[in-house]
Amino acid sequence: MSEQRLSPRFFCRWPVEIVGPEERRFRAQAADISLTGMAMLVDRGAAASLAPSGGLLNPRVPPVSVAVQAPGHAGVGKLHFEGRVRHVRRLSQEQYLIGIKFTDPDASLQLELQALVEQAMRSPRG
């Protein structure tokens, strides 16, 4: 089966910090990344705070900030992207997968995002 998305996803396992509503901070782990978004593994508390209505997400879901620390990335410190939670999937009683769609990164952030996606493309899975 071939990839049908406009922006294919690539496996990654990087530390992530998510800043959600009311400036609440959550630690997460990136699961995959594309030019349009990122999926992250979070615990139940983070999932409940970032998507209070569960899987019924709508445009009123508040934006979040995602700070990515990719090992070996040429950038200094963490890269920050803004986005919105698009989906939540329960993987187990304590682990959820949250998909974030990035909201219009500026040109310099788009270049950083491209570099992250290329790094994930080159990295061996697992």
Side-chain angles (χ1 to χ4, degrees):
M1 179 178 279
S2 65
E3 179 67 59
Q4 298 296 311
R5 293 180 179 92
L6 291 175
S7 296
R9 299 175 189 174
F10 298 98
F11 176 86
C12 60
R13 285 291 189 259
W14 302 323
V16 175
E17 180 182 62
I18 306 168
V19 180
E22 300 172 5
E23 299 298 312
R24 291 191 60 198
R25 296 177 181 274
F26 305 95
R27 294 195 184 280
Q29 183 179 52
D32 64 53
I33 188 167
S34 75
L35 290 174
T36 58
M38 176 181 279
M40 294 163 281
L41 301 168
V42 300
D43 63 24
R44 184 179 2 176
S49 179
L50 296 169
S53 59
L56 302 173
L57 303 176
N58 60 60
R60 292 187 306 266
V61 172
V64 297
S65 174
V66 179
V68 180
Q69 182 64 58
H73 183 67
V76 177
K78 296 178 180 176
L79 298 172
H80 296 268
F81 300 97
E82 300 297 317
R84 292 195 180 273
V85 175
R86 294 295 308 253
H87 66 270
V88 178
R89 188 173 78 198
R90 182 177 171 186
L91 302 177
S92 71
Q93 190 168 353
E94 288 298 322
Q95 189 175 52
Y96 291 76
L97 184 73
I98 289 191
I100 303 288
K101 181 177 182 186
F102 299 132
T103 51
D104 301 323
D106 65 25
S108 63
L109 274 180
Q110 190 67 37
L111 289 174
E112 295 287 356
L113 181 56
Q114 178 69 40
L116 282 177
V117 170
E118 288 173 6
Q119 180 178 342
M121 281 176 29
R122 292 188 306 270
S123 296
R125 186 180 175 103

